[in-house]
């Protein structure tokens, strides 16, 4: 069945460092791809999305490109801030309006 | 501002108790979902609903039931709570895709349930 695999955390970086969180997927058909973020004490919220191959989603300085040839949707940010500390979930749209989530990657940014 | 609210942020119950977790959304969404979130396991889908009075089992429905009597409200019920149901419970809602490929889910803040 459809699935998402993302790098395990925690990931610890210093402020202003470059961030990459790897995500690959397995899916039949052409799913939409998402990155959700969960800040401490909150529910998940959509960070960015891409609906077809070669689309680039972007928001708050984060970017991810839908790569069909490598079945990947890696999350990147050029210069992270302490406020980016959170758990990040890669996800894809499944059958019947369901979303299939990866296990999440916890990110710690040190000042 | 779109909103999904959950009845409690923290809940402590005893083994064997019947537990109700309530979720309300104000976006007129047809779809509603219940997940549990556990360290190292990510989000796992318990139950979901496409419409009032409708319910579908997710990946881990055992030990749970749901109720959807009104469109905006989706309740998760633990008939007889057990310690292995200690977890974070997240509710979400969305519009139906209706052929489009984009179906963002909006999440509530979560209920952290501890069963003693």
């Amino acid at each position: 069945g459809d699935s998402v695999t993302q790098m395990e955390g925690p990931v610890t970086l210093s402020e202003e460092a470059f961030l990459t969180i790897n995500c690959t997927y397995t899916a039949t058909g052409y799913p939409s791809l998402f990155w959700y973020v969960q800040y401490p004490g909150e529910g998940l919220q959509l960070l960015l999305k891409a609906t077809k191959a070669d689309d680039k989603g972007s928001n708050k300085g984060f970017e991810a490109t839908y790569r069909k040839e490598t079945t990947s949707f890696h999350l990147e940010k050029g210069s992270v801030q302490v406020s980016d500390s959170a758990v990040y979930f890669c996800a894809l749209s499944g059958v019947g309006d369901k979303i299939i989530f990866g296990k999440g990657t916890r990110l710690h940014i040190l000042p | 501002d779109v909103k999904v609210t959950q009845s409690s942020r923290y809940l402590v119950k005893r083994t064997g108790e019947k537990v109700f977790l309530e979720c309300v959304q104000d976006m007129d969404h047809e779809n509603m979902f219940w997940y549990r979130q556990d360290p190292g396991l990510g989000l796992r889908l318990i139950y979901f609903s496409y419409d009032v009075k409708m319910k579908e089992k997710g990946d881990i429905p055992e030990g749970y039931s749901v109720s959807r009597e009104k469109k905006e409200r989706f309740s998760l019920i633990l008939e007889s709570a057990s310690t292995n149901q200690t977890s974070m419970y997240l509710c979400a809602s969305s519009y139906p895709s209706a052929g489009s490929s984009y179906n963002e889910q909006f999440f509530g803040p979560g209920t952290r349930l501890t069963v003693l």
Side-chain angles (χ1 to χ4, degrees):
Chain A
D2 295 357
S3 65
V4 175
T5 303
Q6 60 183 104
M7 61 190 291
E8 291 192 24
V11 173
T12 302
L13 296 171
S14 297
E15 204 165 23
E16 299 184 1
F18 184 86
L19 168 71
T20 300
I21 301 178
N22 290 335
C23 171
T24 57
Y25 67 91
T26 302
T28 54
Y30 303 96
S32 295
L33 301 176
F34 310 94
W35 277 99
Y36 279 79
V37 59
Q38 185 180 32
Y39 297 106
E42 299 183 11
L44 279 70
Q45 57 185 269
L46 182 67
L47 178 61
L48 53 83
K49 67 183 188 296
T51 57
K52 61 183 186 297
D54 300 324
D55 266 4
K56 178 185 282 188
S58 61
N59 187 24
K60 299 182 180 181
F62 291 90
E63 292 183 340
T65 301
Y66 192 142
R67 301 281 187 207
K68 195 169 185 300
E69 64 277 12
T70 55
T71 61
S72 65
F73 193 54
H74 305 319
L75 183 68
E76 296 182 336
K77 187 174 185 183
S79 176
V80 292
Q81 307 299 313
V82 172
S83 57
D84 294 327
S85 298
V87 182
Y88 292 82
F89 292 90
C90 186
L92 62 82
S93 58
V95 174
D97 294 339
K98 290 186 283 187
I99 291 181
I100 297 166
F101 290 90
K103 293 185 177 180
T105 302
R106 184 174 295 277
L107 176 65
H108 294 291
I109 306 300
L110 304 175
Chain B
D1 203 14
V2 297
K3 225 167 173 60
V4 179
T5 56
Q6 296 183 228
S7 50
S8 306
R9 294 300 299 270
Y10 299 93
L11 208 53
V12 179
K13 295 292 181 181
R14 297 268 177 207
T15 302
E17 281 192 76
K18 191 168 185 175
V19 181
F20 293 85
L21 302 182
E22 305 284 342
C23 175
V24 177
Q25 50 95 3
D26 65 359
M27 295 164 280
D28 203 34
H29 285 164
E30 281 81 357
N31 301 334
M32 295 189 76
F33 307 84
W34 275 107
Y35 297 90
R36 62 178 284 176
Q37 181 181 10
D38 299 288
L41 298 176
L43 272 71
R44 293 181 290 168
L45 182 63
I46 304 172
Y47 266 96
F48 58 103
S49 168
Y50 293 135
D51 203 347
V52 176
K53 305 267 188 207
M54 287 185 62
K55 59 184 179 184
E56 300 283 344
K57 292 181 179 180
D59 300 319
I60 52 164
E62 296 77 19
Y64 303 94
S65 62
V66 290
S67 172
R68 192 160 180 209
E69 296 296 319
K70 294 185 177 182
K71 189 177 185 180
E72 68 270 18
R73 188 179 297 269
F74 192 35
S75 302
L76 181 69
I77 303 157
L78 286 66
E79 295 290 343
S80 177
S82 63
T83 55
N84 63 12
Q85 293 178 308
T86 292
S87 186
M88 171 70 86
Y89 290 88
L90 292 166
C91 175
S93 68
S94 72
Y95 287 115
S97 299
S100 81
S101 59
Y102 172 46
N103 51 352
E104 176 186 358
Q105 290 185 11
F106 294 85
F107 282 80
T111 295
R112 186 166 294 282
L113 173 67
T114 301
V115 182
L116 302 175

